[in-house]
Amino acid sequence: MDIGANLKHILEEMTTAAEKAGRPGSAIRLVAVSKYKPALAVTEAAAAGQAIFGENYVQELVAKAAEVTVPVEWHFIGHLQSNKARQIAGLVTMIHSVDRLSLAEEIDRQWGKIGKVCDILVQVNVSGEASKSGTTAAAALTLVKEISQLANVRVRGLMTMPPFFDDPEAARPYFRELRELAATIASEAIPGVAMTELSMGMSGDFKVAIEEGATLVRIGTAIFGDR
Ligand SMILES: *Cc1c(COP(=O)(O)O)cnc(C)c1O
């Protein structure tokens, strides 16, 4: 597994997809998803220039972050139990997976204790699949308004995971719906809320996601190999 070569290839594909959509390549950031991969893989990717890493599990993230000695930025992208938020306070720069007010309130409490503000994305279950986390599209605006009242949490945008398809084109309507939902919420001009980030697209469908407006793509296997 040549992590450096994989990264280079993906960044080229990201730029191509962005240009196809008339967007600058610099508008999209790559989150390298390192779940189940060792600290050494993160260090190797960081040496190749990768800055942001995404993790799904609190325990794994805390252990790995202690082992990675080069400076990297961690994003939390998995389902987060409220009682574990404390362990990642100050460690992550963004949480992509906030899907309920009680979790946002706990993040607010924990980041408040360290005198910091946590950037978060609201995860939306656009497809409505029962197996997926995320608030419904219908409830997203209310949730964003409620979270906007919290002093130590700042909403930066939305995140989604569409159903899995063999054909990435099939995911396009879900990515589009997330973009349209973000535009609707942005039009409300809620104080303290930015709708500038759209976290969508993984190894199999990131090009389509970029064409539909992704600003953060979360890519694991295409960088680090199968898990
Ligand atoms: C694992 C994971 C990814 C990365 O998926 P790949 O198909 O390996 O690129 C992205 N987002 C979330 C939320 C994940 O859990």
Side-chain angles (χ1 to χ4, degrees):
M1 188 52 53
D2 188 338
I3 291 173
N6 291 347
L7 278 168
K8 184 165 180 284
H9 179 67
I10 287 162
L11 289 168
E12 283 166 6
E13 291 195 310
M14 285 171 60
T15 302
T16 304
E19 284 168 358
K20 188 176 161 190
R23 307 176 59 204
S26 60
I28 303 114
R29 292 186 292 161
L30 172 60
V31 179
V33 177
S34 48
K35 62 170 177 249
Y36 300 135
K37 298 295 175 184
L40 196 60
V42 171
T43 304
E44 197 178 327
Q50 177 59 29
I52 309 173
F53 293 85
E55 288 281 340
N56 290 62
Y57 307 102
V58 167
Q59 214 177 342
E60 183 183 345
L61 167 58
V62 170
K64 204 175 294 181
E67 276 186 71
V68 174
T69 51
V70 293
V72 299
E73 191 180 326
W74 297 102
H75 286 192
F76 196 84
I77 64 169
H79 180 74
L80 182 57
Q81 287 171 261
S82 296
N83 63 6
K84 294 193 174 165
R86 180 182 55 81
Q87 295 181 56
I88 58 168
L91 177 59
V92 300
T93 53
M94 186 178 279
I95 300 175
H96 292 222
S97 45
V98 176
D99 59 359
R100 57 201 188 278
L101 182 60
S102 59
L103 174 59
E105 286 172 339
E106 184 58 20
I107 294 168
D108 182 57
R109 199 160 23 245
Q110 297 303 333
W111 264 254
K113 280 197 216 166
I114 57 170
K116 290 187 173 166
V117 175
C118 185
D119 283 339
I120 65 115
L121 306 177
V122 168
Q123 181 173 357
V124 183
N125 183 358
V126 175
S127 68
E129 278 181 299
S131 62
K132 290 259 155 53
S133 308
T135 184
T136 63
L141 173 60
T142 303
L143 180 57
V144 169
K145 279 184 181 161
E146 288 167 339
I147 296 174
S148 75
Q149 302 294 314
L150 304 171
N152 294 90
V153 175
R154 186 166 49 192
V155 180
R156 311 294 302 179
L158 304 179
M159 179 271 223
T160 199
M161 268 181 95
F164 176 81
F165 299 105
D166 287 323
D167 176 10
E169 275 302 324
R172 188 183 294 275
Y174 301 96
F175 296 144
R176 185 170 297 165
E177 197 173 324
L178 193 74
R179 168 165 47 86
E180 289 170 355
L181 180 59
T184 302
I185 295 173
S187 73
E188 298 273 325
I190 305 161
V193 168
M195 276 289 135
T196 46
E197 301 286 358
L198 287 177
S199 171
M200 55 189 198
M202 316 201 306
S203 291
D205 54 20
F206 69 90
K207 291 180 220 167
V208 175
I210 288 171
E211 288 168 21
E212 292 301 329
T215 63
L216 290 159
V217 291
R218 311 177 310 269
I219 301 182
T221 46
I223 299 170
F224 298 111
D226 287 334
R227 290 181 289 270

PDB file of all heavy atoms in Angstrom, residues 185-201:
ATOM      1  N   ILE A 185     -31.359  26.369   4.871  1.00  0.00           N
ATOM      2  CA  ILE A 185     -31.008  26.773   6.239  1.00  0.00           C
ATOM      3  C   ILE A 185     -30.211  28.078   6.211  1.00  0.00           C
ATOM      4  O   ILE A 185     -30.449  28.974   7.024  1.00  0.00           O
ATOM      5  CB  ILE A 185     -30.233  25.639   6.950  1.00  0.00           C
ATOM      6  CG1 ILE A 185     -31.142  24.411   7.124  1.00  0.00           C
ATOM      7  CG2 ILE A 185     -29.701  26.109   8.312  1.00  0.00           C
ATOM      8  CD1 ILE A 185     -30.443  23.163   7.663  1.00  0.00           C
ATOM      9  N   ALA A 186     -29.313  28.200   5.248  1.00  0.00           N
ATOM     10  CA  ALA A 186     -28.506  29.430   5.134  1.00  0.00           C
ATOM     11  C   ALA A 186     -29.406  30.644   4.926  1.00  0.00           C
ATOM     12  O   ALA A 186     -29.134  31.730   5.454  1.00  0.00           O
ATOM     13  CB  ALA A 186     -27.498  29.295   3.996  1.00  0.00           C
ATOM     14  N   SER A 187     -30.492  30.458   4.182  1.00  0.00           N
ATOM     15  CA  SER A 187     -31.383  31.592   3.883  1.00  0.00           C
ATOM     16  C   SER A 187     -32.082  32.114   5.133  1.00  0.00           C
ATOM     17  O   SER A 187     -32.615  33.220   5.139  1.00  0.00           O
ATOM     18  CB  SER A 187     -32.410  31.190   2.820  1.00  0.00           C
ATOM     19  OG  SER A 187     -33.375  30.326   3.379  1.00  0.00           O
ATOM     20  N   GLU A 188     -32.075  31.328   6.200  1.00  0.00           N
ATOM     21  CA  GLU A 188     -32.666  31.768   7.476  1.00  0.00           C
ATOM     22  C   GLU A 188     -31.749  32.726   8.234  1.00  0.00           C
ATOM     23  O   GLU A 188     -32.168  33.347   9.213  1.00  0.00           O
ATOM     24  CB  GLU A 188     -32.952  30.565   8.375  1.00  0.00           C
ATOM     25  CG  GLU A 188     -33.943  29.580   7.797  1.00  0.00           C
ATOM     26  CD  GLU A 188     -35.391  29.929   8.113  1.00  0.00           C
ATOM     27  OE1 GLU A 188     -35.642  30.447   9.203  1.00  0.00           O
ATOM     28  OE2 GLU A 188     -36.246  29.686   7.241  1.00  0.00           O
ATOM     29  N   ALA A 189     -30.476  32.784   7.789  1.00  0.00           N
ATOM     30  CA  ALA A 189     -29.490  33.687   8.414  1.00  0.00           C
ATOM     31  C   ALA A 189     -29.522  33.608   9.944  1.00  0.00           C
ATOM     32  O   ALA A 189     -29.676  34.617  10.633  1.00  0.00           O
ATOM     33  CB  ALA A 189     -29.706  35.132   7.936  1.00  0.00           C
ATOM     34  N   ILE A 190     -29.375  32.429  10.459  1.00  0.00           N
ATOM     35  CA  ILE A 190     -29.397  32.211  11.913  1.00  0.00           C
ATOM     36  C   ILE A 190     -28.093  32.742  12.506  1.00  0.00           C
ATOM     37  O   ILE A 190     -27.012  32.358  12.050  1.00  0.00           O
ATOM     38  CB  ILE A 190     -29.554  30.706  12.235  1.00  0.00           C
ATOM     39  CG1 ILE A 190     -30.805  30.145  11.544  1.00  0.00           C
ATOM     40  CG2 ILE A 190     -29.610  30.467  13.747  1.00  0.00           C
ATOM     41  CD1 ILE A 190     -30.814  28.627  11.414  1.00  0.00           C
ATOM     42  N   PRO A 191     -28.167  33.633  13.500  1.00  0.00           N
ATOM     43  CA  PRO A 191     -26.939  34.210  14.057  1.00  0.00           C
ATOM     44  C   PRO A 191     -25.986  33.126  14.568  1.00  0.00           C
ATOM     45  O   PRO A 191     -26.417  32.186  15.250  1.00  0.00           O
ATOM     46  CB  PRO A 191     -27.443  35.078  15.214  1.00  0.00           C
ATOM     47  CG  PRO A 191     -28.849  35.403  14.856  1.00  0.00           C
ATOM     48  CD  PRO A 191     -29.377  34.207  14.113  1.00  0.00           C
ATOM     49  N   GLY A 192     -24.713  33.238  14.204  1.00  0.00           N
ATOM     50  CA  GLY A 192     -23.696  32.299  14.681  1.00  0.00           C
ATOM     51  C   GLY A 192     -23.583  31.030  13.862  1.00  0.00           C
ATOM     52  O   GLY A 192     -22.702  30.212  14.102  1.00  0.00           O
ATOM     53  N   VAL A 193     -24.503  30.849  12.901  1.00  0.00           N
ATOM     54  CA  VAL A 193     -24.500  29.616  12.105  1.00  0.00           C
ATOM     55  C   VAL A 193     -23.918  29.897  10.715  1.00  0.00           C
ATOM     56  O   VAL A 193     -24.324  30.843  10.052  1.00  0.00           O
ATOM     57  CB  VAL A 193     -25.933  29.053  11.956  1.00  0.00           C
ATOM     58  CG1 VAL A 193     -25.991  27.952  10.906  1.00  0.00           C
ATOM     59  CG2 VAL A 193     -26.434  28.538  13.304  1.00  0.00           C
ATOM     60  N   ALA A 194     -22.965  29.049  10.296  1.00  0.00           N
ATOM     61  CA  ALA A 194     -22.454  29.111   8.924  1.00  0.00           C
ATOM     62  C   ALA A 194     -22.902  27.850   8.215  1.00  0.00           C
ATOM     63  O   ALA A 194     -22.923  26.769   8.805  1.00  0.00           O
ATOM     64  CB  ALA A 194     -20.936  29.199   8.942  1.00  0.00           C
ATOM     65  N   MET A 195     -23.292  27.967   6.977  1.00  0.00           N
ATOM     66  CA  MET A 195     -23.648  26.767   6.194  1.00  0.00           C
ATOM     67  C   MET A 195     -22.635  26.620   5.056  1.00  0.00           C
ATOM     68  O   MET A 195     -22.984  26.407   3.908  1.00  0.00           O
ATOM     69  CB  MET A 195     -25.079  26.893   5.640  1.00  0.00           C
ATOM     70  CG  MET A 195     -26.125  26.462   6.631  1.00  0.00           C
ATOM     71  SD  MET A 195     -26.127  24.650   6.873  1.00  0.00           S
ATOM     72  CE  MET A 195     -26.227  24.567   8.658  1.00  0.00           C
ATOM     73  N   THR A 196     -21.370  26.756   5.425  1.00  0.00           N
ATOM     74  CA  THR A 196     -20.323  26.769   4.400  1.00  0.00           C
ATOM     75  C   THR A 196     -19.716  25.399   4.127  1.00  0.00           C
ATOM     76  O   THR A 196     -19.051  25.216   3.119  1.00  0.00           O
ATOM     77  CB  THR A 196     -19.207  27.751   4.808  1.00  0.00           C
ATOM     78  OG1 THR A 196     -18.890  27.513   6.181  1.00  0.00           O
ATOM     79  CG2 THR A 196     -19.652  29.179   4.648  1.00  0.00           C
ATOM     80  N   GLU A 197     -19.928  24.439   5.041  1.00  0.00           N
ATOM     81  CA  GLU A 197     -19.303  23.121   4.839  1.00  0.00           C
ATOM     82  C   GLU A 197     -20.354  22.065   4.508  1.00  0.00           C
ATOM     83  O   GLU A 197     -21.383  21.956   5.178  1.00  0.00           O
ATOM     84  CB  GLU A 197     -18.551  22.684   6.111  1.00  0.00           C
ATOM     85  CG  GLU A 197     -17.455  23.634   6.568  1.00  0.00           C
ATOM     86  CD  GLU A 197     -16.195  23.578   5.695  1.00  0.00           C
ATOM     87  OE1 GLU A 197     -16.140  22.765   4.741  1.00  0.00           O
ATOM     88  OE2 GLU A 197     -15.267  24.364   5.980  1.00  0.00           O
ATOM     89  N   LEU A 198     -20.041  21.282   3.482  1.00  0.00           N
ATOM     90  CA  LEU A 198     -20.846  20.111   3.145  1.00  0.00           C
ATOM     91  C   LEU A 198     -19.923  18.910   3.156  1.00  0.00           C
ATOM     92  O   LEU A 198     -19.059  18.781   2.282  1.00  0.00           O
ATOM     93  CB  LEU A 198     -21.476  20.260   1.755  1.00  0.00           C
ATOM     94  CG  LEU A 198     -22.629  21.244   1.596  1.00  0.00           C
ATOM     95  CD1 LEU A 198     -23.060  21.301   0.122  1.00  0.00           C
ATOM     96  CD2 LEU A 198     -23.816  20.854   2.464  1.00  0.00           C
ATOM     97  N   SER A 199     -20.067  18.069   4.183  1.00  0.00           N
ATOM     98  CA  SER A 199     -19.241  16.868   4.308  1.00  0.00           C
ATOM     99  C   SER A 199     -19.977  15.714   3.653  1.00  0.00           C
ATOM    100  O   SER A 199     -20.942  15.185   4.210  1.00  0.00           O
ATOM    101  CB  SER A 199     -18.968  16.576   5.785  1.00  0.00           C
ATOM    102  OG  SER A 199     -18.344  15.317   5.939  1.00  0.00           O
ATOM    103  N   MET A 200     -19.534  15.361   2.450  1.00  0.00           N
ATOM    104  CA  MET A 200     -20.201  14.261   1.723  1.00  0.00           C
ATOM    105  C   MET A 200     -19.263  13.712   0.676  1.00  0.00           C
ATOM    106  O   MET A 200     -18.472  14.441   0.093  1.00  0.00           O
ATOM    107  CB  MET A 200     -21.525  14.754   1.116  1.00  0.00           C
ATOM    108  CG  MET A 200     -21.442  15.972   0.211  1.00  0.00           C
ATOM    109  SD  MET A 200     -23.102  16.588  -0.199  1.00  0.00           S
ATOM    110  CE  MET A 200     -22.724  17.620  -1.649  1.00  0.00           C
ATOM    111  N   GLY A 201     -19.365  12.398   0.468  1.00  0.00           N
ATOM    112  CA  GLY A 201     -18.512  11.715  -0.497  1.00  0.00           C
ATOM    113  C   GLY A 201     -17.468  10.877   0.214  1.00  0.00           C
ATOM    114  O   GLY A 201     -16.805  11.356   1.127  1.00  0.00           O
TER     115      GLY A 201
END
